[in-house]
Amino acid sequence: MVQFFKTLVIGVVGLTLPNLAADAGVSPNGVTTLRERYGVTAFDTIPNMGERLKSIKIAILDNGYGDPATLSKDLPVENLKLVETYTPEFIKAYGLGSENVNPLDPNVQHGRQMAMLAWAITGLKKEEAPQFLLMNANGFTNFRRAIQTAINEKVDIILNSQNWEFGGNFDGRGHVNREVSRATQAGILWINAAGNYGGKVYNAPVVLDDTKHVKLGAKNQGLRVNCRYDRSRLKITLAWNSFNESEQAGTDKDLDLFLLDSDGNVVGRSELTQIVQNPGTDLAEGQSYLAREIIEMELDQTKKDKPYRIKLFAKSGNFTAADRIRVSIVNGKSPVFDPEERKMVDYCELLDHQPKQEIMIPADHAEVITVGDMTTASSRGPTMDGRTKPDLVLRYSEAEFSDGEGLAGTSNAAAYFAGIMAMIKAYSPSVTREWVLAQVKPQLLSKIIKPGEDKGIDDLGVDTVRQIHPTVFKGIDSLLSKDGRTSLVLAGKYRKGSYIAATTMSPLELNRYFKHIPPANQNPDHFEIYMAEVSDRGRPAVWAYVRDRAVGPGNEEWEKILKEKPELFVQIVLAKRKQKPEKDPMIPLWETPGLSAYKAKDKDK
């Protein structure tokens, strides 16, 4: 058999386990807790499960996997291949371009981290790990080559935790999705992140004013962009629905993209000339076949009443009522905690965003499993042709590594789900996308009535508290998360300094858990945390503090603690439900089915 691609085969070199955790933060039992929460530990009881799992092939498509020399330390599995480049023979045999382009970025760790998360779900056993193919999918040409390699290798699962802001009309078609279809039609289960475009997208029909500008925003003043800090790196992408199945077909509809400061000065522009392909003629400088314009630049801090504005100019006049545009932004820096607003914020915000139709490509493909999470950043559908996306949502997408780095978002959720599907396919090889989605049971999620809103509570959000005060969060969640479940649904802070958490547990349940504080939380060298469940009258019904494991109502010590160290005090309250099924959306929440579901499906089990 001809070897059509060059690989770096990683041997087994000692075991250095990444210390992963779910929302409880870094802990010695992080991976165990993670697997319990996603309901995969039941598979550990299956005879020969390790051998079955070794037969599963997972291809990761990404732009970078870090330094290849250190892969074996983080992923010491027996069958690991890094596909960095593709041989000329392979490229020629499948008509995939002419030469190697876009090498992997050694500074990008994303692909490595996705593989680590998927592996963590399967149990982090190097002798019983799935086979991982880490593919160079940097750019469309390599994306096509990675898919062909996955088909040749007969992989079971493709994990793609990336999205494209252009390349199709956001209806599941286009030249990017054409390549995805080759994989799904070959029987590969494609898992795609929904993307973190929540609050970062604007869609509109192409309606022109008298000056040939597209009408956007209030009073046709353009889309407002607010930046909180200087040197905010931002990518603005404009795409319009002039894509088809060929990436080189081109379009005769031409739009230009401009960014203006508060004084109306143009500070950024993209003015490619879109053309229709002319066989035998190469693209000239400044021309493009693709219906997109992109601005990438650093922006300075703005005042809220003086934002930047995005404007679009129609260079051609042949747009009709059927034409639509999409403007999206991507920040070049991770969100930061804003002390004034007491929450995590993006460097730049699209003030005129729309809370729907945020699904990008290929998450919009009809045959992939699109995975989202519970955060507001997770992209919401529907697709432009009206289909519901994401297909399923995971409750948790957070992860922390032993080097202190933490990640969250739909990329993580997709990686976790790839690990879940590896376990399921190892046990039930004939499982299909249709069967998987049939197991999803849409649920109504409770809206929390903030207790004591008149007392000045800042709702920081569970994710924010986890990031800015991991010690407090660890203490809360270690008490309230038992038997693979968590009940923490709100986390905030009184302006006097103390924290508040809302849970669906009753006071009786809280009392029972407080009496069984995990030993790991009793080390005073690590942290000290005080908690109380407070009655409607404002007095504590049950309370606990870790240092000396004191538990009980009516103790005067809690009041002294609250006055002296409010930042160490966490009030636990009972969350109330207020949701109207006729108005609130159903969430396609994933819960891994028990073993009986597969036995019913495969009678030979």
Side-chain angles (χ1 to χ4, degrees):
M1 176 179 177
V2 178
Q3 186 75 356
F4 276 137
F5 53 91
K6 296 179 181 178
T7 64
L8 173 64
V9 181
I10 306 299
V12 179
V13 185
L15 186 63
T16 303
L17 296 183
N19 190 1
L20 300 173
D23 58 306
V26 176
S27 71
N29 299 317
V31 173
T32 300
T33 302
L34 179 72
R35 300 184 73 239
E36 288 174 349
R37 285 187 175 160
Y38 284 121
V40 298
T41 54
F43 293 103
D44 298 341
T45 64
I46 304 301
N48 302 319
M49 188 62 184
E51 289 301 315
R52 297 181 185 215
L53 197 56
K54 288 172 65 175
S55 68
I56 300 297
K57 290 185 178 181
I58 303 176
I60 313 288
L61 274 56
D62 216 292
N63 296 343
Y65 302 92
D67 182 1
T70 63
L71 268 175
S72 60
K73 295 181 180 180
D74 293 339
L75 286 163
V77 299
E78 290 186 342
N79 294 297
L80 179 68
K81 292 181 179 178
L82 174 64
V83 183
E84 296 183 277
T85 59
Y86 303 86
T87 67
E89 295 84 1
F90 169 79
I91 293 171
K92 181 178 179 180
Y94 293 98
L96 299 173
S98 58
E99 58 187 15
N100 277 294
V101 295
N102 294 353
L104 289 170
D105 187 342
N107 297 316
V108 173
Q109 300 282 341
H110 188 259
R112 176 191 302 227
Q113 292 164 334
M114 296 303 99
M116 292 167 70
L117 297 184
W119 183 39
I121 291 290
T122 69
L124 295 178
K125 296 180 181 178
K126 63 179 182 180
E127 299 87 357
E128 299 178 0
Q131 302 174 50
F132 284 96
L133 282 78
L134 311 184
M135 313 291 298
N136 179 359
N138 188 7
F140 181 64
T141 298
N142 283 329
F143 184 74
R144 296 179 63 206
R145 295 168 179 176
I147 289 173
Q148 186 61 57
T149 300
I151 295 172
N152 291 357
E153 287 285 301
K154 295 181 170 57
V155 305
D156 300 283
I157 298 167
I158 284 179
L159 169 60
N160 184 51
S161 285
Q162 302 185 109
N163 277 283
W164 300 63
E165 292 97 23
F166 62 90
N169 302 326
F170 310 108
D171 58 0
R173 294 174 291 182
H175 65 269
V176 175
N177 280 323
R178 177 197 68 203
E179 300 301 317
V180 175
S181 293
R182 295 198 299 116
T184 58
Q185 291 167 10
I188 298 174
L189 192 66
W190 187 296
I191 297 170
N192 213 97
N196 303 315
Y197 295 93
K200 301 176 176 66
V201 174
Y202 180 90
N203 299 282
V206 180
V207 179
L208 305 182
D209 63 16
D210 295 339
T211 64
K212 296 182 66 176
H213 285 86
V214 179
K215 292 185 177 181
L216 300 174
K219 299 181 180 180
N220 192 25
Q221 295 299 305
L223 303 181
R224 296 168 299 156
V225 176
N226 178 54
C227 293
R228 297 170 181 268
Y229 307 98
D230 287 336
R231 294 187 177 178
S232 296
R233 294 199 301 270
L234 188 68
K235 175 184 176 184
I236 304 171
T237 301
L238 162 68
W240 57 101
N241 59 339
S242 293
F243 287 92
N244 55 41
E245 297 298 301
S246 171
E247 68 274 22
Q248 294 183 336
T251 176
D252 62 351
K253 296 182 177 182
D254 193 346
L255 290 171
D256 290 338
L257 171 65
F258 298 91
L259 183 66
L260 283 63
D261 64 16
S262 59
D263 295 322
N265 301 311
V266 175
V267 294
R269 65 179 70 214
S270 180
E271 300 176 274
L272 293 172
T273 299
Q274 276 71 33
I275 65 169
V276 176
Q277 184 184 36
N278 184 6
T281 303
D282 295 331
L283 282 172
E285 184 177 354
Q287 293 181 335
S288 176
Y289 296 133
L290 303 177
R292 62 95 173 96
E293 300 283 351
I294 299 173
I295 294 174
E296 292 186 79
M297 61 184 300
E298 284 190 346
L299 301 177
D300 291 330
Q301 183 179 11
T302 58
K303 296 181 180 179
K304 289 188 177 180
D305 60 338
K306 293 185 177 181
Y308 291 99
R309 293 187 184 270
I310 296 171
K311 291 198 172 186
L312 312 180
F313 178 76
K315 193 179 296 182
S316 65
N318 54 345
F319 289 93
T320 70
D323 290 309
R324 294 186 63 84
I325 58 96
R326 171 172 289 185
V327 176
S328 59
I329 68 169
V330 175
N331 280 276
K333 296 181 180 180
S334 300
V336 295
F337 179 72
D338 187 291
E340 293 185 2
E341 296 194 26
R342 295 177 179 270
K343 65 179 183 179
M344 301 298 290
V345 298
D346 285 318
Y347 273 70
C348 295
E349 301 167 308
L350 182 62
L351 299 180
D352 296 305
H353 69 269
Q354 299 163 328
K356 60 180 182 178
Q357 292 186 323
E358 301 164 334
I359 300 294
M360 297 294 178
I361 305 162
D364 64 337
H365 194 289
E367 296 175 356
V368 309
I369 297 178
T370 303
V371 182
D373 68 12
M374 297 293 291
T375 66
T376 56
S378 181
S379 299
R380 264 62 173 181
T383 59
M384 283 299 181
D385 57 335
R387 288 174 292 111
T388 299
K389 287 281 184 174
D391 296 298
L392 58 90
V393 171
L394 268 60
R395 285 187 183 272
Y396 312 107
S397 64
E398 300 80 12
E400 290 189 22
F401 297 85
S402 56
D403 61 359
E405 185 170 355
L407 301 174
T410 62
S411 290
N412 286 14
Y416 285 147
F417 193 71
I420 294 170
M421 288 311 306
M423 300 292 287
I424 291 177
K425 285 191 72 70
Y427 181 51
S428 182
S430 62
V431 70
T432 63
R433 175 185 183 273
E434 291 68 31
W435 184 88
V436 170
L437 297 187
Q439 310 310 307
V440 177
K441 296 179 174 58
Q443 301 181 32
L444 280 170
L445 300 177
S446 62
K447 285 186 176 179
I448 306 304
I449 301 176
K450 300 176 185 177
E453 286 183 319
D454 58 339
K455 296 179 181 179
I457 297 175
D458 293 313
D459 181 5
L460 302 182
V462 174
D463 293 336
T464 298
V465 172
R466 180 182 300 111
Q467 294 183 59
I468 66 171
H469 211 318
T471 301
V472 170
F473 189 89
K474 177 180 177 181
I476 299 172
D477 203 54
S478 61
L479 291 178
L480 302 188
S481 301
K482 294 289 182 294
D483 304 322
R485 77 187 259 218
T486 187
S487 70
L488 192 61
V489 290
L490 177 144
K493 191 174 185 180
Y494 286 109
R495 287 165 190 167
K496 63 187 178 183
S498 59
Y499 286 81
I500 181 170
T503 174
T504 55
M505 290 183 182
S506 69
L508 290 177
E509 287 180 296
L510 285 171
N511 195 23
R512 177 163 58 89
Y513 285 139
F514 281 175
K515 289 180 179 178
H516 297 86
I517 298 173
N521 294 342
Q522 297 175 29
N523 188 341
D525 294 331
H526 289 103
F527 64 90
E528 179 179 38
I529 183 168
Y530 303 87
M531 304 184 186
E533 191 282 326
V534 180
S535 68
D536 291 340
R537 296 182 180 180
R539 302 293 295 178
V542 295
W543 70 280
Y545 62 94
V546 170
R547 174 161 290 185
D548 58 7
R549 201 173 182 180
V551 179
N555 193 305
E556 297 179 349
E557 185 68 13
W558 78 273
E559 292 180 324
K560 180 180 178 182
I561 294 166
L562 177 56
K563 292 179 180 179
E564 296 180 354
K565 299 181 180 180
E567 74 280 0
L568 296 177
F569 185 92
V570 181
Q571 177 184 338
I572 308 295
V573 298
L574 182 63
K576 299 178 181 179
R577 297 179 182 274
K578 182 181 180 182
Q579 187 167 20
K580 297 180 180 179
E582 66 274 14
K583 293 184 178 180
D584 295 313
M586 301 289 283
I587 305 297
L589 206 59
W590 174 261
E591 302 286 348
T592 303
L595 295 181
S596 59
Y598 315 99
K599 292 179 180 179
K601 174 182 176 297
D602 299 311
K603 300 298 184 180
D604 59 329
K605 290 286 188 295

